[in-house]
Amino acid sequence: MPNLIHHPAHSPSLVRSVEARFIGFDHTWVRVRWKVLGAANLVVPAFSGKGRADELWKTTCFELFLQAPGEAGYAEINLSPSERWNVYDFTGRREGMSERPMPREPDCAMRQGTDMAIFDAAIPAAGLPPYPWRCGMSAVIEEGGAKSYWALAHGDASAPDFHDPACFTHEVAAPGAP
């Protein structure tokens, strides 16, 4: 499971690590898991009914960025423990944002113990850009009002920006490809 790193300008309180990985994908579903260790003070948004919502990043949420190699455009997937979600298309870095049509809603579930939280998401593959992808995996973690920003990499040390192409470091091939 790849370890995410927190942005140096926003240290976590108790969270020790955040990991993210693809746990399965085929031509119908893409399944992703985030694991948070040190989750005793994790702020978890209450269930608010499935559906699209904006500004999920204002509290604990989990994100994917999918970009075709050599392309400027990319898709951003926001997933909340509240089961709210959204998917956006961008034509370039933070440019040309529009909601991406989805054939159905992603399925999300959060399990939390005293020290660990697991967030699983199943995203309809038909609503995502075609494979292969350069992928950014990230998380906003809120602990009692403090926020930390976790990603595979951070391009700018002064402020977190998950849209920075330097964060898109994970390569994902088409299902069944070597």
Side-chain angles (χ1 to χ4, degrees), residues 89-174:
D89 280 323
F90 289 84
T91 58
R93 184 176 175 180
R94 293 192 175 273
E95 296 176 352
M97 183 175 113
S98 62
E99 278 191 355
R100 183 179 187 87
M102 293 297 286
R104 64 177 293 187
E105 295 186 316
D107 289 324
C108 302
M110 181 88 162
R111 296 183 310 260
Q112 187 173 5
T114 56
D115 187 58
M116 180 175 66
I118 301 284
F119 182 77
D120 285 327
I123 305 155
L128 300 177
Y131 300 101
W133 302 318
R134 289 183 61 236
C135 178
M137 304 173 92
S138 54
V140 175
I141 301 296
E142 183 175 359
E143 301 174 84
K147 291 182 193 159
S148 55
Y149 301 86
W150 299 74
L152 292 169
H154 294 282
D156 181 358
S158 65
D161 183 1
F162 297 153
H163 293 257
D164 185 336
C167 298
F168 305 170
T169 62
H170 188 64
E171 302 286 333
V172 179

